Each structure stands twice: as structure tokens, then as C-alpha cells.
Amino acid sequence: MTEQQHHDHSKHEHAGQHPAKHFDHSNHAQHGLPTAKASWLVAASATLHCLTGCAIGEILGLVIATAFGWGNTPSIAVAVVLAFFFGYLLTLLPLRRAGVGWGGSIKLALAADTASIIVMEIVDNGVMLAIPGAMEATLTSALFWISLALSLIIAFIITTPINKWIIGKGKGHAVVHAYHH
């Protein structure tokens, strides 16, 4: 094989393969560069992603707290910790599958989800505390499940426009958008 015929195929992208990419959208708006598309659909999708992690954490946390007979403060604390854990986990796993290293995946998950999860947890837990008897209701009570569903719906409604604004600034879920196939 001559030198002209031989070339390194490792430097080429082949059909179906996507190299791990990192896009820093943080300064795009300042420099006149386009930021991430901030449609309502994208914002709702990002919010639903966070809502899923939050709901898993909230439900598991409240199940644990109820099983141990804990009061409101430890119940909320364990639910919030687990909501953050599962919210971040649902971002980490696809990033790892996309070939992003652990350090990069953790940084991206923190950047993508922190603001959204904070807002969602404040709203979600605030609604649960505001509904009389919701925090004292047992897991077999309709009041508990209706209150939890209502709190998550309200959290979704309030967090979606916030995520739309954050994504439009090139932050939040915009930082992981490049890894979605």
C-alpha cells in the first residue's frame, strides 16, 4: 500500500457514530452568536425530564420517611436529596452513553439541572406543605397521592417558563442538548 493509499480511519466520523462534543453556550448571547433554541416544546421536554427525576426522588423519599415515621422536616430533606440524585442521574446516564467522561458528565448534569430542580423542589414541597393534611397523609391515602400529583403539576407549570428562559440564555438543558441524538 502506498503512502497516498494509506490514511488513518480513526480520524473520520462514520455513519451512525457521533463523537462526544462539548458546546459552551454560556457566552454566545454576549458575542452575537446564536443561543439554544428556546421553544416551549424544548422547555417542556427539559422540565418533564427534571420532573421525572424529582418525582422518583419525592415518592421514594416520602415512602422511606413514612416507613420510618419521620416528621415533615426529615421527610422533605430525604425527598429533596433523592430528587436531586435522580434528577442528576437521568442526565448523567445518557451523557455517559454518549462517551462523556465522569468528570464532564457530572459538570454537565450540574449545569443542566440544578436551577430547574431547585425551582421544582421549592414549588413541589411548598404545595405539599400548603395542602392541609397532605404531609401527614399515609401512602394509602387518596389525599397524599392527589396532593403529590397536584404539587408536581404546579411545579411543572411554574418551572417550564423558567427553563425556557434559561435555555434561551444557552444555559440549563441547552448545555446537554448537543449530546441528544
Side-chain angles (χ1 to χ4, degrees):
M1 185 177 280
T2 69
E3 201 169 322
Q4 286 179 328
Q5 293 171 322
H6 182 267
H7 66 277
D8 185 2
H9 286 281
S10 67
K11 295 178 182 169
H12 297 276
E13 183 177 339
H14 296 278
Q17 294 178 339
H18 303 282
K21 299 174 186 171
H22 176 70
F23 294 98
D24 180 9
H25 296 283
S26 60
N27 293 318
H28 283 190
Q30 300 172 15
H31 300 292
L33 299 172
T35 57
K37 186 176 180 186
S39 71
W40 283 105
L41 184 59
V42 169
S45 176
T47 306
L48 187 57
H49 170 89
C50 284
L51 181 71
T52 303
C54 288
I56 293 168
E58 287 288 329
I59 292 168
L60 184 58
L62 292 173
V63 167
I64 291 168
T66 299
F68 287 108
W70 295 344
N72 287 354
T73 302
S75 294
I76 291 172
V78 73
V80 168
V81 167
L82 290 173
F84 272 93
F85 173 78
F86 284 103
Y88 290 138
L89 184 66
L90 292 179
T91 298
L92 279 172
L93 294 176
L95 289 171
R96 292 289 298 140
R97 280 192 297 266
V100 181
W102 277 107
S105 293
I106 291 169
K107 287 177 186 175
L108 286 167
L110 291 171
D113 294 330
T114 301
S116 183
I117 296 172
I118 287 170
V119 171
M120 197 160 290
E121 286 303 298
I122 290 169
V123 173
D124 170 21
N125 287 292
V127 170
M128 287 295 288
L129 288 168
I131 296 173
M135 291 299 293
E136 292 78 26
T138 63
L139 298 175
T140 58
S141 165
L143 175 62
F144 171 79
W145 292 105
I146 292 168
S147 299
L148 182 60
L150 181 63
S151 73
L152 293 172
I153 290 167
I154 293 170
F156 177 83
I157 291 168
I158 291 173
T159 308
T160 299
I162 294 168
N163 275 335
K164 184 179 186 307
W165 179 77
I166 291 170
I167 291 166
K169 296 288 186 190
K171 308 240 186 236
H173 271 264
V175 301
V176 296
H177 188 71
Y179 300 94
H180 295 183
H181 302 296

